[in-house]
Coordinates of all heavy atoms in Angstrom, one line a residue:
M1 N -31.1 26.4 32.0 CA -30.4 26.8 30.8 C -29.1 25.9 30.8 O -28.6 25.7 29.7 CB -30.1 28.2 30.9 CG -29.5 28.7 29.6 SD -30.8 28.6 28.3 CE -30.0 29.3 27.0
T2 N -28.6 25.5 32.0 CA -27.4 24.8 31.9 C -27.5 23.3 31.4 O -26.5 22.7 31.0 CB -26.8 24.7 33.4 OG1 -27.7 24.0 34.3 CG2 -26.5 26.0 33.9
F3 N -28.8 22.9 31.4 CA -28.9 21.4 30.9 C -29.0 21.5 29.3 O -28.9 20.4 28.7 CB -30.2 20.8 31.5 CG -31.4 21.5 31.1 CD1 -32.2 21.1 30.0 CD2 -32.0 22.5 31.8 CE1 -33.4 21.6 29.5 CE2 -33.2 23.2 31.4 CZ -33.8 22.7 30.3
V4 N -29.2 22.6 28.7 CA -29.3 22.7 27.2 C -28.0 22.5 26.5 O -28.0 21.8 25.5 CB -30.0 24.0 26.8 CG1 -30.0 24.1 25.3 CG2 -31.4 24.1 27.4
L5 N -26.9 23.0 27.0 CA -25.6 22.9 26.3 C -25.1 21.5 26.3 O -24.6 21.1 25.2 CB -24.6 23.9 27.0 CG -24.9 25.4 26.8 CD1 -23.9 26.2 27.5 CD2 -24.9 25.7 25.3
P6 N -25.2 20.8 27.3 CA -24.7 19.3 27.2 C -25.7 18.6 26.2 O -25.1 17.7 25.4 CB -24.9 18.7 28.5 CG -24.9 19.9 29.4 CD -25.5 21.0 28.7
I7 N -26.9 18.9 26.1 CA -27.7 18.1 25.1 C -27.3 18.5 23.7 O -27.3 17.7 22.8 CB -29.3 18.5 25.4 CG1 -29.6 17.8 26.7 CG2 -30.1 18.0 24.2 CD1 -31.0 18.2 27.2
M8 N -27.0 19.7 23.5 CA -26.6 20.2 22.2 C -25.3 19.6 21.8 O -25.1 19.2 20.7 CB -26.5 21.8 22.2 CG -27.8 22.4 22.2 SD -27.8 24.2 22.2 CE -26.7 24.7 20.9
D9 N -24.4 19.5 22.8 CA -23.1 18.8 22.5 C -23.3 17.4 22.1 O -22.7 16.9 21.1 CB -22.1 18.9 23.7 CG -21.6 20.3 23.9 OD1 -21.6 21.1 22.9 OD2 -21.2 20.6 25.0
Y10 N -24.2 16.6 22.8 CA -24.4 15.2 22.5 C -25.1 15.1 21.2 O -24.8 14.2 20.3 CB -25.2 14.5 23.6 CG -24.4 14.3 24.9 CD1 -25.0 14.7 26.1 CD2 -23.2 13.7 24.9 CE1 -24.3 14.6 27.3 CE2 -22.5 13.4 26.0 CZ -23.0 13.9 27.2 OH -22.4 13.7 28.4
L11 N -25.9 16.0 20.8 CA -26.6 15.9 19.6 C -25.6 16.2 18.4 O -25.7 15.5 17.4 CB -27.8 17.0 19.6 CG -28.7 17.0 18.3 CD1 -29.4 15.6 18.3 CD2 -29.7 18.0 18.4
T12 N -24.8 17.2 18.6 CA -23.7 17.4 17.7 C -22.8 16.2 17.4 O -22.5 16.0 16.2 CB -22.9 18.7 18.0 OG1 -23.8 19.8 18.2 CG2 -21.9 19.1 17.0
I13 N -22.4 15.6 18.5 CA -21.6 14.4 18.4 C -22.3 13.3 17.6 O -21.8 12.6 16.7 CB -21.1 14.0 19.7 CG1 -20.1 14.9 20.3 CG2 -20.5 12.6 19.7 CD1 -19.8 14.8 21.8
A14 N -23.6 13.1 17.9 CA -24.4 12.1 17.3 C -24.5 12.4 15.8 O -24.4 11.5 14.9 CB -25.8 11.9 17.9
I15 N -24.8 13.6 15.4 CA -24.8 14.0 14.0 C -23.5 13.8 13.3 O -23.5 13.3 12.2 CB -25.3 15.5 13.9 CG1 -26.8 15.7 14.3 CG2 -25.1 16.0 12.5 CD1 -27.2 17.1 14.4
G16 N -22.4 14.1 13.9 CA -21.0 13.9 13.4 C -20.9 12.4 13.2 O -20.3 12.0 12.2
V17 N -21.2 11.6 14.1 CA -21.0 10.1 14.0 C -21.9 9.5 12.8 O -21.4 8.7 12.0 CB -21.4 9.3 15.3 CG1 -21.4 7.9 15.1 CG2 -20.3 9.7 16.4
V18 N -23.1 9.9 12.8 CA -24.0 9.5 11.6 C -23.5 9.9 10.3 O -23.4 9.2 9.4 CB -25.5 9.9 11.9 CG1 -26.3 9.7 10.6 CG2 -26.1 9.3 13.1
G19 N -22.9 11.2 10.2 CA -22.4 11.7 9.0 C -21.2 10.9 8.6 O -20.9 10.6 7.4
G20 N -20.3 10.6 9.6 CA -19.1 9.8 9.3 C -19.4 8.4 8.7 O -18.9 7.9 7.8
I21 N -20.5 7.8 9.3 CA -20.9 6.4 8.9 C -21.4 6.6 7.5 O -21.2 5.7 6.6 CB -21.9 5.9 9.8 CG1 -21.3 5.5 11.2 CG2 -22.6 4.6 9.3 CD1 -22.2 5.2 12.3
V22 N -22.3 7.6 7.2 CA -22.8 7.7 5.9 C -21.7 8.0 4.8 O -21.8 7.5 3.7 CB -23.9 8.9 5.9 CG1 -24.3 9.3 4.4 CG2 -25.1 8.5 6.7
G23 N -20.7 8.7 5.2 CA -19.6 9.0 4.3 C -18.8 7.7 3.9 O -18.5 7.4 2.8
V24 N -18.6 6.9 4.9 CA -17.9 5.6 4.7 C -18.8 4.7 3.9 O -18.3 4.0 2.9 CB -17.5 4.9 6.0 CG1 -17.0 3.5 5.8 CG2 -16.5 5.7 6.8
V25 N -20.0 4.6 4.1 CA -20.9 3.7 3.3 C -21.0 4.2 1.8 O -21.0 3.4 0.9 CB -22.4 3.7 4.0 CG1 -23.4 3.2 3.0 CG2 -22.3 3.0 5.3
A26 N -21.1 5.6 1.6 CA -21.1 6.1 0.3 C -19.9 5.7 -0.5 O -19.9 5.3 -1.7 CB -21.4 7.5 0.3
F27 N -18.7 5.9 0.2 CA -17.4 5.6 -0.5 C -17.3 4.1 -0.9 O -17.0 3.6 -2.0 CB -16.3 6.0 0.4 CG -14.9 5.7 -0.3 CD1 -14.5 6.4 -1.4 CD2 -14.1 4.7 0.2 CE1 -13.3 6.2 -2.0 CE2 -12.9 4.4 -0.4 CZ -12.5 5.1 -1.5
A28 N -17.7 3.3 0.2 CA -17.7 1.7 -0.1 C -18.7 1.4 -1.2 O -18.3 0.5 -2.1 CB -18.1 1.0 1.2
D29 N -19.8 2.0 -1.3 CA -20.7 1.8 -2.4 C -20.1 2.2 -3.8 O -20.3 1.4 -4.7 CB -22.0 2.4 -2.2 CG -23.1 2.1 -3.2 OD1 -23.6 0.9 -3.1 OD2 -23.3 2.9 -4.1
A30 N -19.5 3.3 -3.8 CA -18.9 3.8 -5.0 C -17.7 2.9 -5.5 O -17.5 2.7 -6.7 CB -18.4 5.3 -4.9
V31 N -17.0 2.3 -4.6 CA -15.9 1.4 -4.9 C -16.5 0.1 -5.6 O -15.8 -0.4 -6.5 CB -15.1 1.1 -3.7 CG1 -14.1 -0.1 -3.9 CG2 -14.3 2.3 -3.2
T32 N -17.6 -0.3 -5.1 CA -18.2 -1.6 -5.6 C -18.9 -1.5 -6.9 O -19.2 -2.6 -7.5 CB -19.0 -2.3 -4.5 OG1 -20.2 -1.4 -4.2 CG2 -18.3 -2.5 -3.2
R33 N -19.2 -0.4 -7.4 CA -19.9 -0.2 -8.6 C -18.9 -0.4 -9.8 O -17.8 -0.1 -9.8 CB -20.5 1.2 -8.7 CG -21.6 1.4 -7.6 CD -22.8 0.5 -7.8 NE -23.6 0.6 -6.6 CZ -24.6 -0.1 -6.5 NH1 -25.0 -1.0 -7.4 NH2 -25.4 0.0 -5.3
R34 N -19.5 -0.9 -10.9 CA -18.7 -1.2 -12.1 C -18.4 0.1 -12.8 O -19.1 1.1 -12.7 CB -19.5 -2.0 -13.1 CG -19.7 -3.4 -12.7 CD -20.5 -4.2 -13.6 NE -20.6 -3.7 -15.0 CZ -21.6 -4.0 -15.8 NH1 -22.4 -4.9 -15.5 NH2 -21.6 -3.4 -17.0
T35 N -17.2 0.2 -13.3 CA -16.6 1.4 -13.9 C -17.5 1.8 -15.1 O -17.7 3.1 -15.4 CB -15.2 1.2 -14.5 OG1 -14.4 0.8 -13.3 CG2 -14.6 2.4 -15.0
D36 N -18.0 0.9 -15.9 CA -18.8 1.3 -17.1 C -20.2 1.7 -16.8 O -20.9 2.3 -17.6 CB -18.7 0.2 -18.1 CG -19.4 -1.1 -17.5 OD1 -19.5 -1.2 -16.3 OD2 -19.8 -1.9 -18.4
A37 N -20.6 1.5 -15.5 CA -22.0 1.9 -15.2 C -22.2 3.4 -15.1 O -23.2 3.9 -15.3 CB -22.4 1.2 -13.8
Y38 N -21.1 4.1 -14.7 CA -21.2 5.5 -14.5 C -21.5 6.3 -15.8 O -22.4 7.0 -15.8 CB -19.9 6.0 -13.8 CG -19.8 5.6 -12.4 CD1 -19.2 4.4 -12.0 CD2 -20.2 6.5 -11.3 CE1 -19.1 4.0 -10.7 CE2 -20.1 6.1 -10.0 CZ -19.5 4.9 -9.7 OH -19.4 4.5 -8.4
P39 N -20.7 6.0 -16.9 CA -21.1 6.7 -18.1 C -22.5 6.2 -18.7 O -23.2 7.0 -19.3 CB -20.0 6.4 -19.1 CG -18.8 5.9 -18.2 CD -19.5 5.3 -17.0
A40 N -22.8 5.0 -18.5 CA -24.1 4.4 -18.9 C -25.2 5.1 -18.1 O -26.3 5.3 -18.8 CB -24.1 3.0 -18.7
A41 N -25.0 5.6 -16.9 CA -26.1 6.2 -16.2 C -26.0 7.7 -16.4 O -26.7 8.5 -15.8 CB -25.8 6.0 -14.6
D42 N -25.1 8.2 -17.3 CA -24.9 9.6 -17.7 C -24.5 10.4 -16.5 O -25.0 11.5 -16.2 CB -26.3 10.2 -18.2 CG -26.1 11.4 -19.1 OD1 -24.9 11.6 -19.6 OD2 -27.0 12.2 -19.1
K43 N -23.5 9.8 -15.8 CA -22.9 10.5 -14.6 C -21.5 10.7 -14.9 O -20.9 10.2 -15.8 CB -23.2 9.7 -13.3 CG -24.7 9.5 -13.0 CD -25.3 10.8 -12.7 CE -26.9 10.6 -12.5 NZ -27.6 11.8 -12.4
Q44 N -20.8 11.3 -13.9 CA -19.3 11.6 -14.0 C -18.7 10.2 -13.9 O -19.3 9.1 -13.6 CB -18.8 12.4 -12.9 CG -19.3 13.9 -13.0 CD -18.7 14.6 -14.1 OE1 -17.6 14.4 -14.5 NE2 -19.6 15.4 -14.7
T45 N -17.4 10.1 -14.1 CA -16.7 8.8 -14.2 C -16.6 8.3 -12.7 O -16.8 9.0 -11.7 CB -15.2 9.1 -14.7 OG1 -14.5 9.9 -13.8 CG2 -15.3 9.6 -16.1
K46 N -16.2 7.0 -12.6 CA -16.1 6.4 -11.3 C -15.0 7.1 -10.6 O -15.1 7.2 -9.3 CB -15.7 4.9 -11.5 CG -15.6 4.2 -10.2 CD -15.3 2.6 -10.4 CE -15.3 2.0 -9.1 NZ -15.3 0.5 -9.3
T47 N -13.9 7.4 -11.2 CA -12.8 8.1 -10.5 C -13.2 9.4 -9.9 O -12.9 9.7 -8.7 CB -11.6 8.3 -11.5 OG1 -11.2 7.2 -12.1 CG2 -10.4 8.9 -10.8
T48 N -14.1 10.1 -10.6 CA -14.5 11.4 -10.0 C -15.4 11.2 -8.8 O -15.2 11.8 -7.8 CB -15.4 12.1 -11.1 OG1 -14.6 12.3 -12.3 CG2 -15.9 13.5 -10.6
W49 N -16.3 10.2 -8.9 CA -17.1 9.9 -7.7 C -16.5 9.3 -6.6 O -16.8 9.4 -5.4 CB -18.3 9.1 -8.1 CG -19.4 10.0 -8.9 CD1 -19.7 10.0 -10.1 CD2 -20.1 11.0 -8.2 NE1 -20.6 11.0 -10.4 CE2 -21.0 11.7 -9.1 CE3 -20.2 11.4 -6.8 CZ2 -21.8 12.7 -8.9 CZ3 -21.1 12.5 -6.6 CH2 -21.8 13.1 -7.6
L50 N -15.4 8.5 -6.9 CA -14.5 8.0 -5.8 C -13.8 9.2 -5.1 O -13.7 9.1 -3.8 CB -13.5 7.0 -6.3 CG -14.0 5.6 -6.7 CD1 -12.9 4.8 -7.3 CD2 -14.6 4.9 -5.6
A51 N -13.4 10.2 -5.9 CA -12.7 11.3 -5.2 C -13.7 12.1 -4.4 O -13.4 12.4 -3.3 CB -12.1 12.1 -6.3
I52 N -14.9 12.3 -4.9 CA -15.9 13.1 -4.3 C -16.3 12.4 -2.9 O -16.3 13.0 -1.9 CB -17.2 13.4 -5.1 CG1 -16.7 14.4 -6.2 CG2 -18.3 13.9 -4.3 CD1 -17.8 14.5 -7.3
T53 N -16.7 11.1 -3.1 CA -17.1 10.4 -1.8 C -16.0 10.2 -0.9 O -16.2 10.2 0.3 CB -17.9 9.1 -2.2 OG1 -16.9 8.3 -3.0 CG2 -19.1 9.3 -3.0
G54 N -14.8 10.0 -1.5 CA -13.7 9.7 -0.5 C -13.2 10.9 0.3 O -13.1 10.9 1.5
I55 N -13.1 12.0 -0.4 CA -12.7 13.3 0.3 C -13.9 13.7 1.3 O -13.7 14.0 2.5 CB -12.4 14.4 -0.7 CG1 -11.2 14.0 -1.5 CG2 -12.3 15.8 0.0 CD1 -10.9 14.9 -2.7
S56 N -15.1 13.6 0.8 CA -16.3 13.9 1.7 C -16.3 13.0 2.9 O -16.5 13.4 4.0 CB -17.6 13.8 0.8 OG -17.6 14.8 -0.2
G57 N -16.0 11.7 2.6 CA -16.0 10.7 3.7 C -14.9 11.1 4.7 O -15.2 11.0 6.0
V58 N -13.8 11.4 4.3 CA -12.7 11.8 5.2 C -13.1 13.0 6.0 O -12.9 13.0 7.3 CB -11.4 12.0 4.4 CG1 -10.3 12.7 5.3 CG2 -10.9 10.7 3.9
V59 N -13.6 14.0 5.4 CA -14.1 15.2 6.1 C -15.1 14.9 7.2 O -15.1 15.3 8.3 CB -14.6 16.3 5.1 CG1 -15.4 17.4 5.8 CG2 -13.5 16.8 4.2
L60 N -16.1 14.0 6.8 CA -17.2 13.6 7.7 C -16.7 12.8 8.8 O -17.1 13.0 10.0 CB -18.3 12.9 6.9 CG -19.1 13.7 6.0 CD1 -20.0 12.8 5.1 CD2 -19.8 14.8 6.6
V61 N -15.7 11.9 8.6 CA -15.1 11.1 9.7 C -14.3 12.0 10.6 O -14.3 11.9 11.9 CB -14.2 9.9 9.1 CG1 -13.4 9.3 10.1 CG2 -15.2 8.9 8.4
L62 N -13.5 13.0 10.0 CA -12.8 13.9 10.9 C -13.8 14.8 11.7 O -13.4 15.3 12.8 CB -11.9 14.7 10.1 CG -10.7 14.0 9.4 CD1 -9.9 15.0 8.6 CD2 -9.8 13.4 10.5
G63 N -15.0 15.0 11.2 CA -16.0 15.8 12.0 C -16.4 15.0 13.2 O -17.1 15.6 14.0
M64 N -16.2 13.7 13.3 CA -16.6 13.0 14.5 C -15.7 13.3 15.7 O -16.0 13.0 16.8 CB -16.5 11.5 14.2 CG -17.6 11.1 13.2 SD -17.6 9.3 12.8 CE -16.4 8.5 13.5
I65 N -14.5 13.9 15.4 CA -13.5 14.2 16.5 C -14.0 15.4 17.2 O -14.0 16.5 16.6 CB -12.1 14.3 15.9 CG1 -11.7 13.1 15.2 CG2 -11.2 14.7 17.0 CD1 -10.4 13.2 14.3
P66 N -14.3 15.3 18.5 CA -14.7 16.5 19.3 C -13.6 17.5 19.3 O -12.4 17.2 19.5 CB -14.9 16.0 20.7 CG -15.2 14.5 20.5 CD -14.4 14.1 19.3
G67 N -13.9 18.8 19.1 CA -13.0 19.9 19.1 C -12.2 20.1 17.8 O -11.4 21.0 17.7
S68 N -12.5 19.3 16.8 CA -11.7 19.6 15.5 C -12.4 20.7 14.8 O -13.5 21.1 15.0 CB -11.7 18.3 14.6 OG -12.9 18.1 14.0
L69 N -11.6 21.2 13.8 CA -12.2 22.3 13.0 C -13.2 21.9 12.1 O -14.1 22.7 11.6 CB -11.0 23.0 12.3 CG -10.0 23.7 13.1 CD1 -8.9 24.2 12.2 CD2 -10.6 24.8 13.8
L70 N -13.3 20.6 11.8 CA -14.3 20.0 10.9 C -15.5 19.5 11.6 O -16.3 18.8 11.0 CB -13.6 18.9 10.0 CG -12.5 19.3 9.2 CD1 -11.9 18.1 8.5 CD2 -12.8 20.3 8.2
R71 N -15.6 19.8 12.9 CA -16.7 19.3 13.7 C -18.1 19.7 13.1 O -18.2 20.8 12.6 CB -16.6 19.8 15.1 CG -17.6 19.1 16.0 CD -17.3 19.5 17.4 NE -18.3 18.8 18.3 CZ -18.6 19.1 19.5 NH1 -18.0 20.2 20.0 NH2 -19.5 18.5 20.2
A72 N -19.0 18.7 13.1 CA -20.3 19.0 12.6 C -20.9 20.1 13.5 O -20.7 20.1 14.7 CB -21.2 17.7 12.8
P73 N -21.5 21.0 12.9 CA -21.9 21.3 11.5 C -21.2 22.4 11.0 O -21.7 23.5 10.6 CB -23.4 21.6 11.5 CG -23.6 22.3 12.8 CD -22.5 21.7 13.8
S74 N -19.8 22.3 10.8 CA -19.1 23.3 10.2 C -19.3 23.4 8.7 O -19.9 22.5 8.1 CB -17.5 23.1 10.4 OG -17.2 22.0 9.6
L75 N -18.9 24.5 8.0 CA -19.2 24.7 6.7 C -18.6 23.6 5.7 O -19.2 23.1 4.8 CB -18.8 26.0 6.1 CG -19.2 26.5 4.8 CD1 -20.7 26.5 4.7 CD2 -18.7 27.9 4.5
L76 N -17.3 23.2 6.0 CA -16.7 22.2 5.3 C -17.3 20.8 5.5 O -17.5 20.0 4.5 CB -15.2 22.2 5.6 CG -14.3 21.3 4.7 CD1 -14.4 21.7 3.2 CD2 -12.9 21.3 5.2
W77 N -17.8 20.6 6.7 CA -18.4 19.3 7.1 C -19.8 19.3 6.3 O -20.1 18.2 5.7 CB -18.7 19.3 8.6 CG -19.3 17.9 9.0 CD1 -18.5 16.8 9.3 CD2 -20.6 17.6 9.1 NE1 -19.4 15.8 9.7 CE2 -20.7 16.2 9.6 CE3 -21.8 18.3 9.0 CZ2 -21.8 15.6 9.8 CZ3 -23.0 17.6 9.3 CH2 -23.0 16.3 9.6
L78 N -20.5 20.4 6.2 CA -21.7 20.4 5.5 C -21.5 20.2 4.0 O -22.3 19.5 3.3 CB -22.5 21.7 5.7 CG -23.1 21.9 7.1 CD1 -23.7 23.3 7.4 CD2 -24.2 20.9 7.4
A79 N -20.4 20.7 3.5 CA -20.1 20.5 2.0 C -19.8 19.0 1.8 O -20.3 18.4 0.8 CB -18.9 21.3 1.6
G80 N -19.1 18.4 2.7 CA -18.8 16.9 2.6 C -20.2 16.1 2.6 O -20.3 15.2 1.9
L81 N -21.0 16.5 3.5 CA -22.3 15.8 3.6 C -23.1 16.0 2.4 O -23.8 15.0 1.9 CB -23.1 16.4 4.8 CG -24.4 15.7 5.1 CD1 -24.2 14.2 5.5 CD2 -25.2 16.4 6.2
V82 N -23.1 17.2 1.7 CA -23.7 17.4 0.5 C -23.2 16.5 -0.6 O -24.0 15.9 -1.4 CB -23.7 18.9 0.1 CG1 -24.2 19.1 -1.4 CG2 -24.6 19.7 1.0
G83 N -21.9 16.4 -0.7 CA -21.3 15.5 -1.7 C -21.7 14.1 -1.5 O -22.0 13.4 -2.6
V84 N -21.7 13.6 -0.3 CA -22.1 12.2 0.0 C -23.6 12.0 -0.4 O -24.0 11.0 -1.0 CB -21.8 11.8 1.4 CG1 -22.5 10.6 1.8 CG2 -20.3 11.7 1.5
L85 N -24.4 13.0 0.0 CA -25.9 12.8 -0.2 C -26.2 12.9 -1.7 O -27.2 12.2 -2.1 CB -26.6 13.8 0.6 CG -26.6 13.6 2.1 CD1 -27.4 14.7 2.8 CD2 -27.2 12.2 2.5
V86 N -25.5 13.7 -2.5 CA -25.8 13.8 -3.9 C -25.5 12.4 -4.5 O -26.2 11.9 -5.3 CB -24.9 14.8 -4.6 CG1 -24.9 14.7 -6.1 CG2 -25.4 16.2 -4.2
Y87 N -24.4 11.8 -4.0 CA -24.1 10.4 -4.6 C -25.1 9.4 -4.2 O -25.7 8.7 -5.1 CB -22.7 9.9 -4.0 CG -22.5 8.5 -4.5 CD1 -22.1 8.2 -5.7 CD2 -22.8 7.4 -3.6 CE1 -21.8 6.9 -6.1 CE2 -22.5 6.1 -4.0 CZ -22.1 5.8 -5.3 OH -21.9 4.6 -5.7
L88 N -25.6 9.4 -2.9 CA -26.6 8.5 -2.4 C -28.0 8.7 -3.0 O -28.7 7.7 -3.3 CB -26.6 8.4 -0.9 CG -25.4 7.9 -0.2 CD1 -25.5 8.1 1.3 CD2 -25.2 6.4 -0.6
C89 N -28.3 9.9 -3.2 CA -29.7 10.2 -3.6 C -29.9 10.3 -5.2 O -31.0 10.2 -5.6 CB -30.2 11.5 -2.9 SG -30.4 11.4 -1.1
D90 N -28.8 10.6 -5.9 CA -28.9 10.9 -7.3 C -28.1 9.8 -8.1 O -28.7 9.1 -8.9 CB -28.4 12.3 -7.6 CG -28.6 12.5 -9.1 OD1 -29.6 12.2 -9.7 OD2 -27.6 13.1 -9.7
V91 N -26.8 9.6 -7.8 CA -26.0 8.8 -8.6 C -26.3 7.3 -8.3 O -26.5 6.5 -9.3 CB -24.5 9.1 -8.4 CG1 -23.6 8.2 -9.2 CG2 -24.3 10.6 -8.8
R92 N -26.3 7.0 -7.1 CA -26.5 5.5 -6.7 C -27.8 4.9 -7.4 O -27.7 3.8 -7.9 CB -26.5 5.3 -5.2 CG -26.6 4.0 -4.7 CD -26.5 3.8 -3.2 NE -26.5 2.5 -2.8 CZ -27.6 1.8 -2.5 NH1 -28.8 2.3 -2.6 NH2 -27.4 0.6 -2.1
P93 N -29.0 5.6 -7.2 CA -30.1 5.0 -7.8 C -30.0 4.8 -9.4 O -30.5 3.8 -9.9 CB -31.3 6.0 -7.5 CG -30.8 6.7 -6.3 CD -29.3 6.8 -6.4
R94 N -29.4 5.7 -10.0 CA -29.2 5.6 -11.4 C -28.2 4.4 -11.8 O -28.4 3.7 -12.7 CB -28.7 6.9 -12.1 CG -29.6 8.0 -12.1 CD -30.7 7.8 -13.2 NE -30.0 7.8 -14.5 CZ -30.4 7.0 -15.5 NH1 -31.3 6.2 -15.5 NH2 -29.7 7.0 -16.7
L95 N -27.2 4.2 -10.9 CA -26.2 3.1 -11.2 C -27.0 1.9 -10.9 O -26.8 0.9 -11.7 CB -25.0 3.3 -10.2 CG -24.2 4.4 -10.5 CD1 -23.1 4.5 -9.4 CD2 -23.5 4.3 -11.8
R96 N -27.8 1.7 -10.0 CA -28.6 0.5 -9.7 C -29.5 0.2 -10.9 O -29.7 -0.9 -11.2 CB -29.3 0.6 -8.4 CG -28.4 0.7 -7.2 CD -29.2 0.8 -5.9 NE -30.0 -0.3 -5.6 CZ -29.6 -1.5 -5.1 NH1 -28.4 -1.6 -4.7 NH2 -30.6 -2.4 -4.9
E97 N -30.2 1.3 -11.4 CA -31.1 1.1 -12.5 C -30.3 0.6 -13.8 O -30.7 -0.4 -14.4 CB -31.6 2.4 -12.9 CG -33.0 2.6 -13.1 CD -33.5 4.0 -13.4 OE1 -33.2 4.5 -14.5 OE2 -34.0 4.6 -12.5
V98 N -29.2 1.1 -14.1 CA -28.4 0.7 -15.2 C -27.8 -0.7 -15.0 O -27.7 -1.5 -16.0 CB -27.2 1.7 -15.5 CG1 -26.2 1.2 -16.5 CG2 -27.8 3.1 -15.9
S99 N -27.4 -1.0 -13.8 CA -26.8 -2.3 -13.5 C -27.8 -3.4 -13.3 O -27.4 -4.6 -13.2 CB -25.9 -2.2 -12.3 OG -24.9 -1.3 -12.5
G100 N -29.1 -3.0 -13.2 CA -30.1 -4.0 -13.1 C -30.2 -4.6 -11.6 O -30.5 -5.7 -11.4
G101 N -29.8 -3.7 -10.7 CA -29.8 -4.1 -9.3 C -31.2 -4.0 -8.7 O -32.2 -3.6 -9.3
S102 N -31.4 -4.7 -7.6 CA -32.7 -4.6 -6.9 C -33.0 -3.4 -6.3 O -32.1 -2.5 -6.2 CB -32.7 -5.8 -5.9 OG -31.8 -5.5 -4.8
S103 N -34.2 -3.1 -5.9 CA -34.6 -1.9 -5.3 C -34.3 -1.8 -3.8 O -34.4 -0.7 -3.3 CB -36.2 -1.7 -5.5 OG -36.8 -2.7 -4.9
S104 N -33.9 -2.8 -3.2 CA -33.5 -2.8 -1.8 C -32.2 -2.3 -1.6 O -31.3 -2.3 -2.5 CB -33.7 -4.1 -1.1 OG -32.8 -5.1 -1.6
W105 N -31.8 -1.9 -0.3 CA -30.4 -1.5 0.0 C -29.5 -2.6 -0.1 O -28.4 -2.7 -0.4 CB -30.4 -0.8 1.3 CG -30.8 0.6 1.2 CD1 -32.0 1.1 1.3 CD2 -29.9 1.8 1.1 NE1 -32.0 2.4 1.1 CE2 -30.7 2.9 1.0 CE3 -28.6 1.9 0.9 CZ2 -30.3 4.1 0.8 CZ3 -28.1 3.2 0.8 CH2 -28.9 4.3 0.7

């Protein structure tokens, strides 16, 4: 039983690091999109999505710090992950469609 807890700790740290990276990538992607693409894709404004992905990214990056209150998988960390994943899975594909982008990452 003593070998399970360190494995869980390493797994939690790995999940936190991956979440932090995903948060930074989502924010960087939102920054690079054209402002007029958001209303054309029938989504919220660029400023709104920059705020959502930016705040979520900060929460996810802070979740990488061992011992912090935002450590994965706290409730606030999960809320940040949901914000970023909504952008990546719903908003980003529509923006790429409207902007005429390719289907690859």
Side-chain angles (χ1 to χ4, degrees):
M1 192 67 176
T2 59
F3 66 92
V4 173
L5 290 177
I7 291 172
M8 288 177 52
D9 286 340
Y10 289 128
L11 187 61
T12 302
I13 291 170
I15 290 170
V17 169
V18 169
I21 292 169
V22 169
V24 170
V25 167
F27 180 72
D29 185 77
V31 167
T32 62
R33 300 292 170 184
R34 291 181 14 202
T35 304
D36 60 342
Y38 289 86
D42 200 25
K43 301 297 177 186
Q44 295 293 323
T45 64
K46 181 175 183 172
T47 306
T48 302
W49 281 109
L50 285 175
I52 291 170
T53 58
I55 293 169
S56 296
V58 167
V59 168
L60 292 173
V61 168
L62 290 176
M64 294 181 350
I65 301 170
S68 78
L69 293 176
L70 299 175
R71 187 170 180 203
S74 70
L75 189 58
L76 189 57
W77 187 88
L78 290 172
L81 185 63
V82 167
V84 166
L85 290 178
V86 165
Y87 175 80
L88 290 176
C89 296
D90 181 42
V91 178
R92 185 176 184 272
R94 288 285 297 143
L95 293 175
R96 292 179 63 86
E97 224 176 78
V98 168
S99 300
S102 64
S103 60
S104 67
W105 278 85

